[in-house]
Amino acid sequence: MRVGIVGCGRMGNERARATIALGHELAVVYDPDVERARTLRAKYSASLVLEKEYEIPWSTLDAIFICTPPGL
């Protein structure tokens, strides 16, 4: 299963960890803070870091986690 994560904070990190633990591919990560996305990519070997939300290749993903900050 190819999984994407939007929002690479605490919950994005937890979802990435679970994705890898279940044997799925972390295909795409995106965060408005590109450095945060790059850190998550390095930690979990994600395939691609996106710099803009409109670059998300929706049709190539089987699942996506949208992880927003608390209170939004």
Side-chain angles (χ1 to χ4, degrees):
M1 186 178 265
R2 290 176 45 83
V3 177
I5 294 183
V6 175
C8 299
R10 184 178 61 85
M11 291 311 297
N13 187 67
E14 287 298 313
R15 301 305 183 250
R17 183 189 57 74
T19 296
I20 298 303
L22 291 170
H24 301 299
E25 175 189 358
L26 186 54
V28 174
V29 293
Y30 166 75
D31 194 282
D33 178 348
V34 177
E35 285 307 312
R36 188 182 292 188
R38 288 182 181 140
T39 299
L40 193 74
R41 176 187 188 201
K43 187 173 183 179
Y44 295 107
S45 300
S47 298
L48 183 62
V49 171
L50 302 176
E51 294 191 15
K52 301 293 182 188
E53 69 279 355
Y54 59 79
E55 297 175 326
I56 298 171
W58 299 102
S59 64
T60 68
L61 301 172
D62 298 304
I64 190 156
F65 290 106
I66 300 178
C67 305
T68 59
L72 288 183

